[in-house]
């Protein structure tokens, strides 16, 4: 089954101005916030809630947290390394952007990444491997 070329980005950050960054398993040089593709029948919001739980163990609804839909989408070229996951000829992805504010850093349950770190926002933006991820983090510094 091929992936849908529509995904979410969720930048998780704390009141102290630190962002969660995750190192990908399939590319040790690629750092990112929570991401994931929409599944059949899911809204971007539902995908974001599911992906945060799957990738970090943070239960947005169970913990009474507020997921902030930035109501913005960007289109970007899918990295050649990942194109085999999509239907033949698909090269572009639409990304829906969200942020999630936490009162403080918390322990993360990794399932899809090799490591995590909490960094000051500007350092997190510098580490982010994708331009759209970097832009969302930098917007939090304003």
């Amino acid at each position: 089954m091929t992936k849908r070329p529509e995904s979410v980005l969720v930048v998780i950050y704390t009141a102290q101005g630190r962002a969660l960054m995750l190192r990908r398993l399939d590319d040790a040089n690629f750092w990112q916030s929570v991401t994931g593709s929409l599944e059949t029948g899911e809204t971007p919001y539902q995908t974001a809630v599911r992906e945060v739980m799957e990738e970090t163990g943070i239960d947005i609804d169970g913990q009474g947290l507020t997921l902030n839909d930035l109501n913005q989408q960007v289109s970007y070229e899918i990295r050649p390394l990942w194109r085999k996951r999509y239907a033949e000829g698909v090269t572009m992805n639409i990304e829906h952007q969200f942020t999630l504010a936490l009162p403080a850093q918390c322990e993360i349950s990794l399932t899809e990444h090799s490591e995590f770190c909490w960094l000051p926002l500007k350092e997190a933006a510098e580490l982010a491997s994708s331009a759209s991820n970097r832009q969302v983090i930098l917007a939090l510094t304003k």
Side-chain angles (χ1 to χ4, degrees), residues 9 11 15 17 26 29 34-35 38 41-42 44-45 48 56 58 65 71 76-77 88-89 95-96 102 130 136 141:
L9 168 75
V11 173
D26 60 1
N29 294 318
V34 170
T35 63
L38 276 70
E42 274 187 330
Y45 184 90
T56 68
I58 297 170
L65 300 170
N71 292 310
Y76 65 84
E77 188 172 354
E88 190 173 335
E95 177 183 83
H96 302 267
L102 299 179
S130 81
V136 174
T141 66

Side-chain angles (χ1 to χ4, degrees), residues 56-110:
T56 68
I58 297 170
D59 183 353
I60 292 172
D61 294 331
Q63 293 176 247
L65 300 170
T66 302
L67 182 63
N68 179 33
D69 185 344
L70 299 178
N71 292 310
Q72 56 192 33
Q73 296 86 40
V74 296
S75 182
Y76 65 84
E77 188 172 354
I78 299 167
R79 294 177 74 204
L81 172 70
W82 299 332
R83 287 190 190 156
K84 64 183 178 280
R85 301 174 186 163
Y86 299 87
E88 190 173 335
V90 173
T91 61
M92 299 300 289
N93 185 75
I94 297 169
E95 177 183 83
H96 302 267
Q97 300 175 334
F98 297 83
T99 58
L100 176 63
L102 299 179
Q105 290 178 199
C106 61
E107 194 57 35
I108 299 301
S109 299
L110 291 178

Side-chain angles (χ1 to χ4, degrees), residues 106-133:
C106 61
E107 194 57 35
I108 299 301
S109 299
L110 291 178
T111 57
E112 300 179 20
H113 297 87
S114 62
E115 80 180 270
F116 74 91
C117 59
W118 291 96
L119 294 173
L121 293 172
K122 288 188 177 177
E123 287 179 37
E126 289 171 11
L127 185 62
S129 296
S130 81
S132 63
N133 197 164

